Structure formats: structure tokens, C-alpha cells
Amino acid sequence: MDKRNLSMLCDFYELTMGNGYFLTGFKDKIAYFDVFFRKVPDDGGFVIAAGLEQVVEYIQGLHFGPDDIAYLRSKNCFDENFLAYLADFRFSGDIWAIPEGTPVFPGEPILTVRAKSIEAQLIETYVLLALNHQSMIATKANRIVRAAQGRAVLEFGSRRAQGADAAIIGARAAYIGGCAGTACTLTDKMYGVPAGGTMAHAWVQMFDTEYEAFKTYCELYPTNATLLVDTYNTIKSGVPNAIRAFKEVLLPKGITNFAIRLDSGDISYLSKRARKMLDDAGLTTCKITASNALDEHLIRDLMMQGAQIDTFGVGERLITSKSAPVFGGVYKLAAVEDENGQIIPKIKVSENTAKITNPHFKKVLRYYDEESGKALADEICLYDEPNREGAHTIFDPDATWKTKTLTDYTVRELQTPIFKKGELVYALPTLPEIKAYCAEQLDTLWDEVKRFENPHNYYVDLSKPLWDVKQRLLSEAKQRQKI
């Protein structure tokens, strides 16, 4: 796996189009592409942008080695001059992106590429793969974390992930979304996401008695003892044996930081019974961890039922985003440059109005209420529109009679330069910094936007100049259909 060249992780048509651009004189034509999505997973109110660091690593490593060129030559459809071009290939374009951890909304360019047509086309697949996957997992993780209402959530899903990369990078994204740690050791080694774990039922079954298994574990890991109490019978043997082991091994050493884990049965009922048994035994500091196919809806129900749980371990339904396993980010041409450097907007037209694209080279502005600090609305603008000052009126592009006038606001441009002429100009933040930034940005959203069911539809509009460009292009497209 370490020998893979991810430059070859592209749809084959990107290479055939690149070959076509080379042969038809479009090799050096500058194109602008946007990455955006149309629908929030799970019918939620927002998405957490993630995956930019992996895009940066990919762009920096872009190249085609001799074995890659030999493979492409074997397909008998590529011009030799194009293959020679690929042999010296490096990305030389510009990229702007919204930083990881930022809440984003449908239609907004999460990432914009300005590059020679072949360069811009070849990176499509991996850019989408990285942003789609991690944004999906970070968003799902945050839903689960919010459902836990301040209780720690740990990512436990490696064995259910869709392959090794999904396990490793998925745990990274879950951490951005708010998870406290992971069971994936390699994610800790590579990215510093705290890894931890307890024991499997196999540990308990290896010993002649449940108590011996618990006692031995406490002796081996006195400062990190979490005992799995449901191998045989949670209430009759599991919790009593755990209490005995804690009292005989850990308390005499002055250790009061320990826990039990519930992994089956009626978690709400068992947690309440276990809590009473622990408290009656004087072990009021003992924590209770719960796992077993949890998601935000089950966790919310457990909290409503008064379950006595301190930490949730969430596996398959997080790492696969089981309820919404596909994030529909797309990569669409928005403009090209002519020989004089003038930007020519491009639009994709569809009978499905949701698939009509927003043309031109754009920027995204976010408006914040001066007093509360809450985000009021986003506006997608032409790249060269002046910064907003004073009262500003935005309008709903789906109902142009509906306007909203903003006063007493601050405004922030969401995208930031990442690459300029192929050189990295962005200082990648650390993962803890991304996580903290994400939590800070989520605090700027109104609670109504963060509802699980029927969230408030956050206001995202096109500026009037961009709206006019779009309408002109639609009108021209309609005229072409009549010819």
C-alpha cells in the first residue's frame, strides 16, 4: 500500500481528456473548477469541511513515474508527446479553500482550483475523494457528539470501515468533528488522535473465572482499567466481579480512576442498575462506558431515558456514516481564461434545476451579528466584488422578492489561498488546532441550525452581480436551444 502512487488514483476519463486537451491546443488554457455539494447528509443543517490536509499532501506529491507511464502506454490510446508531458508533470496552479473545521452549506465553493486545464482535470477524483469522505465523517461525528450532551465520544469503528484508508483517515475526521479519541492505533501514530481501548470478551474467556480476568487486568493496567462486564451476566457477575477487583487491587493503591464497559443488552436499564451497584459499593468515581452499534439517535434516546453513561464508544454507524454513507460533493467547471487573461464564466444547465451550477470565479462571505457573534448569512460573490460596508441587503435567489438587510455585522471571507503557482502558501494547522477551531465555529451557529430534525435553513445567497451573470448565461443557453 505504501508503494501506491496516488497520482494514478483518478478516473480514466481524466487522462483521456487530458490527452485530448494536449492534442487540441488546450494544454495551457486556464480553467477554474469549484468543489461544492448540494445536500446536507442526514437532512442536517450544515456540513463540517474536512480533508484539506490530505489534498495538500496529494498536490505536493503529484507525479507520474516510469512504471505509470509504461502502464499508460500499454493502453494504446495516449499520444507519446502527452506521455512525455506526464513524465515531467507537476501541479503549477492556484488553489483556494475553506479551512478544515468550518461549517459550510450547499452550493458554497469549499475549494476552488485555477490551473492549466490538464492539471485541473487530473486532480478531480482525489480532491473529491478526500473532501467528500472526511467531510461526511466529521459531520456525522459531530451529530453524535452533540447527541451525547458533553459526554465523551470515542471512535471505535476501524474493523467496520470500508478499508484501511477509511479507518485511518476516518478517525482523523471524527476527531475534527468532536470525538475525544479513537481505537485506531495507526491514526494516533500518524495524526496524534489519542488512541485507547479496554478489552475484548476474549480476554475474559481466556481465564478460568471472570474475577481472575478482571483482577489480572487491573494489576497490569492499574491507571487505565476499564472492565468489560457483559461477557456472562452483567448484573449477577460482571459488575460484582469488577467491584471486587477495583476494591482489592486499585483502591489500596489510592487509584480511583477506573471504569466498566457495557456492550450489549438494554444499555439504559443496565447502566442505571450498574450505577446504583457501584455507588452502593462506594465507587462513586467509577465511570460507565457504553458501546454496541450506537448513533446520534440511539444516544439521544439513552440520554432522554436518564441512562447513566459517561463515555460512548461509537463504531460502524460513525466510521461508515451508515445512515448517509455517500457525501455528494462535485467538481464543476466555473470559468476559463481567454488568451488575454479575461475570465469567461461557464455554466452547466440541466432540466434538474438543482444541478444548474453557479458560474464564474467566486468568493464566499460570511456575515456575523456584531452583538451575538452568531452567523447571520453567507453570500457567494464574484471574486472581485468590493468588501461590504454599512447596511447590506441580500436576497433569496429562489424568491427574489424576499430580501434581508444586514446591519451591525462583521464579514469574513471564508476561502483562503492554499497554493499559488504550485507552491504551498498555507500553514497547515495542527489537528488539535483544527478541532478547537471547529468547535469555535460551531458556536457561531444558532441552535436552530443544529437541530437534528427540520433544522433552520441557513441563509445562503448569490450576490446581485453574480445572480445577473448567471441569469445572462441561462438566457444565452436558452437562446442556443432555439437555434
Side-chain angles (χ1 to χ4, degrees):
M1 291 175 60
D2 292 339
K3 296 180 180 179
R4 297 173 303 176
N5 178 10
L6 295 180
S7 303
M8 295 288 284
L9 204 172
C10 61
D11 288 282
F12 196 73
Y13 72 35
E14 289 159 13
L15 289 161
T16 57
M17 282 193 292
N19 186 67
Y21 293 152
F22 187 91
L23 295 175
T24 54
F26 287 163
K27 176 174 71 73
D28 295 325
K29 190 175 186 64
I30 299 297
Y32 294 76
F33 282 85
D34 289 332
V35 175
F36 63 94
F37 65 95
R38 299 185 178 102
K39 188 175 185 297
V40 178
D42 288 310
D43 293 322
F46 62 92
V47 161
I48 294 174
L52 178 59
E53 182 175 319
Q54 283 60 53
V55 171
V56 168
E57 293 171 352
Y58 164 77
I59 294 294
Q60 289 183 309
L62 269 173
H63 72 284
F64 293 89
D67 57 331
D68 303 320
I69 301 301
Y71 161 76
L72 294 174
R73 181 176 289 115
S74 74
K75 302 301 288 184
N76 296 317
C77 62
F78 296 107
D79 184 84
E80 280 297 323
N81 291 322
F82 175 65
L83 296 179
Y85 164 83
L86 290 183
D88 294 326
F89 183 87
R90 293 293 185 274
F91 183 80
S92 64
D94 306 329
I95 292 179
W96 298 261
I98 295 176
E100 291 190 275
T102 306
V104 289
F105 302 92
E108 298 179 337
I110 301 173
L111 181 143
T112 297
V113 176
R114 175 193 178 274
K116 296 176 182 179
S117 58
I118 298 176
E119 297 179 22
Q121 200 74 68
L122 284 176
I123 68 174
E124 174 183 1
T125 299
Y126 189 87
V127 166
L128 283 176
L129 184 159
L131 298 179
N132 278 342
H133 175 241
Q134 288 201 64
S135 297
M136 177 180 71
I137 300 301
T139 304
K140 185 65 170 182
N142 187 256
R143 289 173 62 88
I144 293 170
V145 167
R146 285 185 284 124
Q149 300 177 25
R151 279 76 171 175
V153 175
L154 304 176
E155 185 280 313
F156 276 7
S158 295
R159 64 192 62 190
R160 298 286 194 269
Q162 318 290 28
D165 289 327
I168 299 163
I169 302 298
R172 176 189 184 273
Y175 186 70
I176 291 173
C179 286
T182 180
C184 183
T185 308
L186 188 52
T187 302
D188 190 355
K189 178 185 175 184
M190 293 177 63
Y191 299 106
V193 177
T198 56
M199 60 174 66
H201 293 105
W203 173 269
V204 180
Q205 294 171 291
M206 285 286 185
F207 293 82
D208 291 337
T209 68
E210 188 176 46
Y211 168 71
E212 185 183 358
F214 290 169
K215 177 176 179 290
T216 303
Y217 198 86
C218 288
E219 291 170 342
L220 292 172
Y221 306 105
T223 61
N224 187 31
T226 298
L227 305 180
L228 182 58
V229 296
D230 68 338
T231 304
Y232 302 117
N233 187 295
T234 301
I235 300 303
K236 291 183 179 180
S237 66
V239 176
N241 280 324
I243 291 172
R244 182 183 171 191
F246 292 147
K247 284 188 170 183
E248 294 183 1
V249 179
L250 300 183
L251 290 187
K253 298 179 180 180
I255 298 172
T256 58
N257 180 29
F258 42 75
I260 64 170
R261 178 161 72 98
L262 303 171
D263 190 50
S264 61
D266 188 328
I267 298 295
S268 178
Y269 167 77
L270 291 175
S271 71
K272 295 173 190 176
R273 286 289 306 274
R275 181 75 271 161
K276 185 176 188 309
M277 294 168 70
L278 292 165
D279 290 349
D280 288 348
L283 303 181
T284 57
T285 63
C286 181
K287 304 295 184 184
I288 299 176
T289 296
S291 52
N292 187 27
L294 299 173
D295 62 15
E296 66 268 39
H297 301 291
L298 290 171
I299 289 174
R300 183 176 59 177
D301 286 349
L302 287 169
M303 300 303 296
M304 291 173 61
Q305 295 164 26
Q308 298 297 299
I309 299 168
D310 302 288
T311 302
F312 293 95
V314 186
E316 62 190 53
R317 298 189 183 188
L318 191 166
I319 203 64
T320 65
S321 187
K322 185 177 180 180
S323 59
V326 178
F327 183 66
V330 294
Y331 188 87
K332 297 298 182 183
L333 181 69
V336 297
E337 287 184 15
D338 65 16
E339 59 276 7
N340 298 315
Q342 181 179 352
I343 300 175
I344 310 300
K346 297 288 184 177
I347 191 169
K348 176 186 179 296
V349 180
S350 172
E351 292 181 358
N352 181 347
T353 56
K355 290 193 173 185
I356 297 175
T357 60
N358 292 322
H360 222 299
F361 180 27
K362 300 176 289 292
K363 62 183 177 182
V364 184
L365 303 180
R366 179 159 295 170
Y367 296 87
Y368 298 89
D369 180 67
E370 188 72 48
E371 181 178 354
S372 67
K374 296 295 186 183
L376 298 171
D378 288 2
E379 189 174 31
I380 306 172
C381 308
L382 297 176
Y383 74 101
D384 57 354
E385 288 186 48
N387 292 333
R388 310 304 185 194
E389 294 180 0
H392 178 57
T393 300
I394 57 178
F395 71 99
D396 184 344
D398 295 320
T400 53
W401 52 268
K402 180 181 177 183
T403 62
K404 183 179 181 68
T405 300
L406 304 179
T407 58
D408 299 322
Y409 62 82
T410 58
V411 62
R412 178 167 74 101
E413 188 171 337
L414 294 188
Q415 283 194 343
T416 188
I418 309 299
F419 285 92
K420 284 293 184 184
K421 297 181 179 179
E423 296 297 323
L424 181 66
V425 296
Y426 178 67
L428 288 169
T430 66
L431 198 57
E433 287 172 340
I434 297 171
K435 181 179 182 179
Y437 166 79
C438 181
E440 172 190 294
Q441 292 303 304
L442 288 171
D443 282 343
T444 69
L445 298 183
W446 298 96
D447 289 341
E448 292 80 359
V449 178
K450 295 186 277 191
R451 284 195 301 255
F452 288 165
E453 278 80 37
N454 299 313
H456 172 71
N457 188 21
Y458 182 82
Y459 215 81
V460 178
D461 298 314
L462 306 185
S463 69
K464 187 62 166 60
L466 177 55
W467 172 256
D468 290 341
V469 170
K470 185 173 183 177
Q471 294 307 303
R472 174 175 62 80
L473 294 180
L474 288 173
S475 177
E476 291 173 358
K478 186 175 182 180
Q479 291 300 316
R480 283 196 297 271
Q481 293 175 1
K482 295 180 178 179
I483 298 176

